[in-house]
mmCIF file of all heavy atoms in Angstrom:
data_model
loop_
_atom_site.group_PDB
_atom_site.id
_atom_site.type_symbol
_atom_site.label_atom_id
_atom_site.label_comp_id
_atom_site.label_asym_id
_atom_site.label_seq_id
_atom_site.Cartn_x
_atom_site.Cartn_y
_atom_site.Cartn_z
ATOM 1 N N MET A 1 0.779 -1.177 -0.018
ATOM 2 C CA MET A 1 -0.026 -0.021 0.067
ATOM 3 C C MET A 1 0.866 1.213 -0.009
ATOM 4 O O MET A 1 0.600 2.134 -0.698
ATOM 5 C CB MET A 1 -0.955 -0.025 1.294
ATOM 6 C CG MET A 1 -1.807 1.212 1.285
ATOM 7 S SD MET A 1 -2.775 1.211 2.773
ATOM 8 C CE MET A 1 -4.202 0.273 2.287
ATOM 9 N N VAL A 2 1.916 1.267 0.811
ATOM 10 C CA VAL A 2 2.728 2.454 0.907
ATOM 11 C C VAL A 2 3.574 2.540 -0.363
ATOM 12 O O VAL A 2 3.619 3.756 -0.929
ATOM 13 C CB VAL A 2 3.803 2.193 2.107
ATOM 14 C CG1 VAL A 2 4.883 3.335 2.039
ATOM 15 C CG2 VAL A 2 3.116 2.161 3.437
ATOM 16 N N THR A 3 3.970 1.527 -1.026
ATOM 17 C CA THR A 3 4.730 1.600 -2.323
ATOM 18 C C THR A 3 3.819 2.121 -3.411
ATOM 19 O O THR A 3 4.245 3.017 -4.230
ATOM 20 C CB THR A 3 5.261 0.207 -2.726
ATOM 21 O OG1 THR A 3 6.105 -0.276 -1.649
ATOM 22 C CG2 THR A 3 6.005 0.263 -4.001
ATOM 23 N N ARG A 4 2.520 1.681 -3.440
ATOM 24 C CA ARG A 4 1.623 2.142 -4.442
ATOM 25 C C ARG A 4 1.337 3.733 -4.260
ATOM 26 O O ARG A 4 1.285 4.448 -5.161
ATOM 27 C CB ARG A 4 0.322 1.444 -4.454
ATOM 28 C CG ARG A 4 0.395 0.047 -4.991
ATOM 29 C CD ARG A 4 -0.949 -0.512 -5.053
ATOM 30 N NE ARG A 4 -0.797 -1.963 -5.220
ATOM 31 C CZ ARG A 4 -1.502 -2.908 -4.762
ATOM 32 N NH1 ARG A 4 -2.508 -2.624 -3.902
ATOM 33 N NH2 ARG A 4 -1.234 -4.186 -4.946
ATOM 34 N N ALA A 5 1.202 4.160 -2.982
ATOM 35 C CA ALA A 5 1.097 5.609 -2.744
ATOM 36 C C ALA A 5 2.245 6.379 -3.196
ATOM 37 O O ALA A 5 2.027 7.472 -3.786
ATOM 38 C CB ALA A 5 0.731 5.750 -1.276
ATOM 39 N N ALA A 6 3.350 6.067 -2.942
ATOM 40 C CA ALA A 6 4.532 6.599 -3.431
ATOM 41 C C ALA A 6 4.662 6.656 -4.862
ATOM 42 O O ALA A 6 4.979 7.683 -5.480
ATOM 43 C CB ALA A 6 5.882 5.948 -2.783
ATOM 44 N N TYR A 7 4.381 5.526 -5.580
ATOM 45 C CA TYR A 7 4.383 5.519 -7.065
ATOM 46 C C TYR A 7 3.435 6.542 -7.612
ATOM 47 O O TYR A 7 3.716 7.269 -8.593
ATOM 48 C CB TYR A 7 3.949 4.116 -7.481
ATOM 49 C CG TYR A 7 3.789 3.924 -8.989
ATOM 50 C CD1 TYR A 7 4.957 3.916 -9.788
ATOM 51 C CD2 TYR A 7 2.669 3.817 -9.536
ATOM 52 C CE1 TYR A 7 4.937 3.814 -11.116
ATOM 53 C CE2 TYR A 7 2.504 3.621 -10.931
ATOM 54 C CZ TYR A 7 3.608 3.642 -11.695
ATOM 55 O OH TYR A 7 3.516 3.421 -13.065
ATOM 56 N N LYS A 8 2.171 6.605 -7.035
ATOM 57 C CA LYS A 8 1.236 7.550 -7.472
ATOM 58 C C LYS A 8 1.609 9.069 -7.350
ATOM 59 O O LYS A 8 1.314 9.950 -8.060
ATOM 60 C CB LYS A 8 -0.186 7.362 -6.728
ATOM 61 C CG LYS A 8 -0.900 6.155 -7.179
ATOM 62 C CD LYS A 8 -2.154 6.030 -6.455
ATOM 63 C CE LYS A 8 -2.871 4.751 -6.806
ATOM 64 N NZ LYS A 8 -4.164 4.500 -6.081
ATOM 65 N N LEU A 9 2.548 9.339 -6.232
ATOM 66 C CA LEU A 9 3.085 10.660 -6.136
ATOM 67 C C LEU A 9 3.884 11.127 -7.267
ATOM 68 O O LEU A 9 4.091 12.347 -7.578
ATOM 69 C CB LEU A 9 3.814 10.788 -4.789
ATOM 70 C CG LEU A 9 2.957 10.712 -3.559
ATOM 71 C CD1 LEU A 9 3.895 10.608 -2.310
ATOM 72 C CD2 LEU A 9 2.013 11.848 -3.439
ATOM 73 N N TYR A 10 4.487 10.207 -8.083
ATOM 74 C CA TYR A 10 5.341 10.499 -9.135
ATOM 75 C C TYR A 10 4.511 10.676 -10.434
ATOM 76 O O TYR A 10 5.059 10.886 -11.558
ATOM 77 C CB TYR A 10 6.414 9.317 -9.373
ATOM 78 C CG TYR A 10 7.495 9.457 -8.418
ATOM 79 C CD1 TYR A 10 7.515 8.716 -7.223
ATOM 80 C CD2 TYR A 10 8.570 10.190 -8.736
ATOM 81 C CE1 TYR A 10 8.594 8.823 -6.381
ATOM 82 C CE2 TYR A 10 9.665 10.345 -7.916
ATOM 83 C CZ TYR A 10 9.655 9.585 -6.697
ATOM 84 O OH TYR A 10 10.752 9.688 -5.929
ATOM 85 N N GLY A 11 3.188 10.547 -10.370
ATOM 86 C CA GLY A 11 2.300 10.679 -11.482
ATOM 87 C C GLY A 11 2.581 11.935 -12.391
ATOM 88 O O GLY A 11 2.448 11.944 -13.571
ATOM 89 N N ASP A 12 2.711 13.099 -11.681
ATOM 90 C CA ASP A 12 2.867 14.351 -12.386
ATOM 91 C C ASP A 12 4.311 14.738 -12.603
ATOM 92 O O ASP A 12 4.719 15.862 -13.063
ATOM 93 C CB ASP A 12 2.210 15.386 -11.722
ATOM 94 C CG ASP A 12 0.616 15.298 -11.666
ATOM 95 O OD1 ASP A 12 0.189 14.635 -12.615
ATOM 96 O OD2 ASP A 12 0.059 15.624 -10.703
ATOM 97 N N SER A 13 5.264 13.879 -12.183
ATOM 98 C CA SER A 13 6.681 14.069 -12.294
ATOM 99 C C SER A 13 7.278 13.640 -13.603
ATOM 100 O O SER A 13 6.768 12.675 -14.234
ATOM 101 C CB SER A 13 7.391 13.264 -11.160
ATOM 102 O OG SER A 13 8.744 13.305 -11.342
ATOM 103 N N PRO A 14 8.279 14.338 -14.103
ATOM 104 C CA PRO A 14 8.952 13.774 -15.285
ATOM 105 C C PRO A 14 9.804 12.611 -15.055
ATOM 106 O O PRO A 14 10.378 12.036 -15.991
ATOM 107 C CB PRO A 14 9.734 14.962 -15.760
ATOM 108 C CG PRO A 14 10.101 15.723 -14.473
ATOM 109 C CD PRO A 14 8.842 15.547 -13.610
ATOM 110 N N ALA A 15 9.892 12.131 -13.862
ATOM 111 C CA ALA A 15 10.722 10.906 -13.532
ATOM 112 C C ALA A 15 10.171 9.654 -14.189
ATOM 113 O O ALA A 15 8.936 9.542 -14.325
ATOM 114 C CB ALA A 15 10.765 10.718 -12.011
ATOM 115 N N VAL A 16 11.076 8.898 -14.668
ATOM 116 C CA VAL A 16 10.674 7.552 -15.241
ATOM 117 C C VAL A 16 10.500 6.619 -14.074
ATOM 118 O O VAL A 16 11.414 6.377 -13.229
ATOM 119 C CB VAL A 16 11.848 7.003 -16.176
ATOM 120 C CG1 VAL A 16 11.327 5.771 -16.742
ATOM 121 C CG2 VAL A 16 12.022 8.066 -17.326
ATOM 122 N N THR A 17 9.260 6.125 -13.915
ATOM 123 C CA THR A 17 9.014 5.210 -12.842
ATOM 124 C C THR A 17 8.185 3.961 -13.402
ATOM 125 O O THR A 17 7.580 4.058 -14.454
ATOM 126 C CB THR A 17 8.163 5.889 -11.816
ATOM 127 O OG1 THR A 17 6.827 6.256 -12.340
ATOM 128 C CG2 THR A 17 8.846 6.975 -11.182
ATOM 129 N N GLU A 18 8.265 2.861 -12.669
ATOM 130 C CA GLU A 18 7.463 1.635 -12.914
ATOM 131 C C GLU A 18 7.209 0.985 -11.585
ATOM 132 O O GLU A 18 8.044 0.933 -10.776
ATOM 133 C CB GLU A 18 8.281 0.847 -13.831
ATOM 134 C CG GLU A 18 7.599 -0.375 -14.285
ATOM 135 C CD GLU A 18 8.467 -1.282 -15.246
ATOM 136 O OE1 GLU A 18 8.943 -0.791 -16.230
ATOM 137 O OE2 GLU A 18 8.647 -2.389 -14.949
ATOM 138 N N LEU A 19 6.026 0.462 -11.502
ATOM 139 C CA LEU A 19 5.636 -0.391 -10.342
ATOM 140 C C LEU A 19 5.683 -1.772 -10.787
ATOM 141 O O LEU A 19 4.958 -2.205 -11.677
ATOM 142 C CB LEU A 19 4.280 0.035 -9.761
ATOM 143 C CG LEU A 19 3.829 -0.748 -8.595
ATOM 144 C CD1 LEU A 19 4.732 -0.509 -7.479
ATOM 145 C CD2 LEU A 19 2.395 -0.319 -8.301
ATOM 146 N N LYS A 20 6.493 -2.559 -10.099
ATOM 147 C CA LYS A 20 6.655 -4.012 -10.365
ATOM 148 C C LYS A 20 6.411 -4.728 -9.079
ATOM 149 O O LYS A 20 7.156 -4.447 -8.050
ATOM 150 C CB LYS A 20 7.996 -4.372 -10.994
ATOM 151 C CG LYS A 20 8.215 -5.875 -11.107
ATOM 152 C CD LYS A 20 7.403 -6.525 -12.079
ATOM 153 C CE LYS A 20 7.818 -7.964 -12.255
ATOM 154 N NZ LYS A 20 6.889 -8.736 -12.983
ATOM 155 N N GLN A 21 5.517 -5.648 -8.958
ATOM 156 C CA GLN A 21 5.268 -6.335 -7.701
ATOM 157 C C GLN A 21 5.848 -7.769 -7.808
ATOM 158 O O GLN A 21 5.733 -8.353 -8.891
ATOM 159 C CB GLN A 21 3.760 -6.404 -7.390
ATOM 160 C CG GLN A 21 3.168 -5.025 -7.143
ATOM 161 C CD GLN A 21 1.663 -5.073 -6.834
ATOM 162 O OE1 GLN A 21 0.905 -5.806 -7.526
ATOM 163 N NE2 GLN A 21 1.287 -4.502 -5.721
ATOM 164 N N PHE A 22 6.380 -8.199 -6.695
ATOM 165 C CA PHE A 22 6.941 -9.533 -6.631
ATOM 166 C C PHE A 22 6.239 -10.303 -5.554
ATOM 167 O O PHE A 22 6.579 -10.038 -4.397
ATOM 168 C CB PHE A 22 8.533 -9.448 -6.420
ATOM 169 C CG PHE A 22 9.318 -8.914 -7.532
ATOM 170 C CD1 PHE A 22 9.469 -7.518 -7.548
ATOM 171 C CD2 PHE A 22 9.855 -9.676 -8.543
ATOM 172 C CE1 PHE A 22 10.221 -6.966 -8.590
ATOM 173 C CE2 PHE A 22 10.587 -9.111 -9.568
ATOM 174 C CZ PHE A 22 10.674 -7.828 -9.621
ATOM 175 N N PRO A 23 5.319 -11.104 -5.961
ATOM 176 C CA PRO A 23 4.554 -11.879 -4.865
ATOM 177 C C PRO A 23 5.486 -12.613 -3.957
ATOM 178 O O PRO A 23 6.544 -13.177 -4.331
ATOM 179 C CB PRO A 23 3.762 -12.769 -5.633
ATOM 180 C CG PRO A 23 3.670 -12.174 -7.040
ATOM 181 C CD PRO A 23 4.901 -11.539 -7.264
ATOM 182 N N ASP A 24 5.169 -12.669 -2.687
ATOM 183 C CA ASP A 24 5.985 -13.429 -1.688
ATOM 184 C C ASP A 24 7.273 -12.969 -1.423
ATOM 185 O O ASP A 24 8.197 -13.753 -1.176
ATOM 186 C CB ASP A 24 5.936 -14.867 -1.997
ATOM 187 C CG ASP A 24 4.536 -15.475 -2.083
ATOM 188 O OD1 ASP A 24 3.692 -15.033 -1.331
ATOM 189 O OD2 ASP A 24 4.286 -16.322 -2.944
ATOM 190 N N ARG A 25 7.524 -11.654 -1.814
ATOM 191 C CA ARG A 25 8.940 -11.117 -1.435
ATOM 192 C C ARG A 25 8.933 -10.063 -0.421
ATOM 193 O O ARG A 25 7.953 -9.246 -0.335
ATOM 194 C CB ARG A 25 9.534 -10.412 -2.703
ATOM 195 C CG ARG A 25 9.675 -11.315 -3.995
ATOM 196 C CD ARG A 25 10.626 -12.610 -3.766
ATOM 197 N NE ARG A 25 10.954 -13.155 -4.885
ATOM 198 C CZ ARG A 25 10.273 -14.040 -5.618
ATOM 199 N NH1 ARG A 25 9.150 -14.384 -5.173
ATOM 200 N NH2 ARG A 25 10.771 -14.661 -6.687
ATOM 201 N N GLY A 26 9.850 -10.016 0.440
ATOM 202 C CA GLY A 26 9.872 -9.027 1.473
ATOM 203 C C GLY A 26 10.634 -7.866 1.087
ATOM 204 O O GLY A 26 11.035 -7.717 0.010
ATOM 205 N N HIS A 27 11.019 -6.967 1.988
ATOM 206 C CA HIS A 27 11.747 -5.829 1.743
ATOM 207 C C HIS A 27 13.288 -5.937 1.978
ATOM 208 O O HIS A 27 14.049 -5.131 1.576
ATOM 209 C CB HIS A 27 11.242 -4.641 2.547
ATOM 210 C CG HIS A 27 9.848 -4.258 2.207
ATOM 211 N ND1 HIS A 27 9.498 -3.675 1.096
ATOM 212 C CD2 HIS A 27 8.751 -4.400 2.932
ATOM 213 C CE1 HIS A 27 8.211 -3.485 1.059
ATOM 214 N NE2 HIS A 27 7.685 -3.891 2.228
ATOM 215 N N SER A 28 13.677 -6.961 2.659
ATOM 216 C CA SER A 28 15.115 -7.239 2.904
ATOM 217 C C SER A 28 15.673 -8.132 1.800
ATOM 218 O O SER A 28 15.998 -9.288 2.076
ATOM 219 C CB SER A 28 15.310 -7.794 4.252
ATOM 220 O OG SER A 28 14.722 -7.039 5.328
ATOM 221 N N LEU A 29 15.813 -7.661 0.609
ATOM 222 C CA LEU A 29 15.974 -8.427 -0.444
ATOM 223 C C LEU A 29 17.155 -9.494 -0.411
ATOM 224 O O LEU A 29 16.857 -10.603 -0.826
ATOM 225 C CB LEU A 29 16.253 -7.591 -1.745
ATOM 226 C CG LEU A 29 15.186 -6.593 -2.183
ATOM 227 C CD1 LEU A 29 15.660 -5.711 -3.338
ATOM 228 C CD2 LEU A 29 13.969 -7.302 -2.470
ATOM 229 N N THR A 30 18.221 -9.131 0.141
ATOM 230 C CA THR A 30 19.341 -10.076 0.100
ATOM 231 C C THR A 30 19.172 -11.241 1.110
ATOM 232 O O THR A 30 19.902 -12.184 1.085
ATOM 233 C CB THR A 30 20.690 -9.415 0.326
ATOM 234 O OG1 THR A 30 20.781 -8.696 1.548
ATOM 235 C CG2 THR A 30 20.966 -8.489 -0.828
ATOM 236 N N VAL A 31 18.230 -11.192 1.969
ATOM 237 C CA VAL A 31 17.887 -12.179 2.884
ATOM 238 C C VAL A 31 16.638 -12.947 2.639
ATOM 239 O O VAL A 31 16.358 -13.930 3.217
ATOM 240 C CB VAL A 31 17.928 -11.738 4.418
ATOM 241 C CG1 VAL A 31 19.396 -11.180 4.818
ATOM 242 C CG2 VAL A 31 16.875 -10.732 4.635
ATOM 243 N N ASP A 32 15.901 -12.506 1.661
ATOM 244 C CA ASP A 32 14.639 -13.225 1.335
ATOM 245 C C ASP A 32 14.907 -14.097 0.077
ATOM 246 O O ASP A 32 15.752 -13.842 -0.800
ATOM 247 C CB ASP A 32 13.574 -12.151 0.897
ATOM 248 C CG ASP A 32 13.047 -11.374 2.091
ATOM 249 O OD1 ASP A 32 13.134 -11.923 3.214
ATOM 250 O OD2 ASP A 32 12.648 -10.233 1.917
ATOM 251 N N HIS A 33 14.065 -15.146 0.065
ATOM 252 C CA HIS A 33 14.170 -16.025 -1.154
ATOM 253 C C HIS A 33 13.816 -15.269 -2.315
ATOM 254 O O HIS A 33 12.889 -14.305 -2.225
ATOM 255 C CB HIS A 33 13.251 -17.246 -0.937
ATOM 256 C CG HIS A 33 11.803 -16.919 -1.084
ATOM 257 N ND1 HIS A 33 11.062 -16.368 -0.134
ATOM 258 C CD2 HIS A 33 11.028 -17.183 -2.140
ATOM 259 C CE1 HIS A 33 9.833 -16.118 -0.518
ATOM 260 N NE2 HIS A 33 9.785 -16.651 -1.689
ATOM 261 N N GLY A 34 14.331 -15.559 -3.388
ATOM 262 C CA GLY A 34 13.976 -14.900 -4.715
ATOM 263 C C GLY A 34 14.625 -13.532 -4.883
ATOM 264 O O GLY A 34 14.309 -12.762 -5.882
ATOM 265 N N TRP A 35 15.603 -13.147 -4.086
ATOM 266 C CA TRP A 35 16.112 -11.775 -4.190
ATOM 267 C C TRP A 35 16.919 -11.641 -5.501
ATOM 268 O O TRP A 35 16.897 -10.556 -6.067
ATOM 269 C CB TRP A 35 17.141 -11.531 -3.011
ATOM 270 C CG TRP A 35 18.338 -12.204 -2.947
ATOM 271 C CD1 TRP A 35 18.596 -13.488 -2.308
ATOM 272 C CD2 TRP A 35 19.593 -11.913 -3.581
ATOM 273 N NE1 TRP A 35 19.847 -13.846 -2.479
ATOM 274 C CE2 TRP A 35 20.534 -12.945 -3.358
ATOM 275 C CE3 TRP A 35 20.021 -10.821 -4.413
ATOM 276 C CZ2 TRP A 35 21.803 -12.991 -3.782
ATOM 277 C CZ3 TRP A 35 21.349 -10.910 -4.839
ATOM 278 C CH2 TRP A 35 22.155 -11.968 -4.522
#
């Protein structure tokens, strides 16, 4: 939810953004499976 909200904030920005979801992945990438 927080990530989607942050992504939406870039809607009017010239920044290049993309939202990609990875099911069953946490935020500590190097310690989670599938990192």
Side-chain angles (χ1 to χ4, degrees):
M1 179 185 276
V2 173
T3 302
R4 286 187 195 140
Y7 177 72
K8 288 179 182 181
L9 290 174
Y10 282 94
D12 294 329
S13 168
V16 178
T17 60
E18 180 179 310
L19 178 62
K20 171 71 173 163
Q21 295 180 313
F22 294 88
D24 302 322
R25 302 297 194 279
H27 296 291
S28 303
L29 298 179
T30 59
V31 297
D32 289 334
H33 75 283
W35 70 268

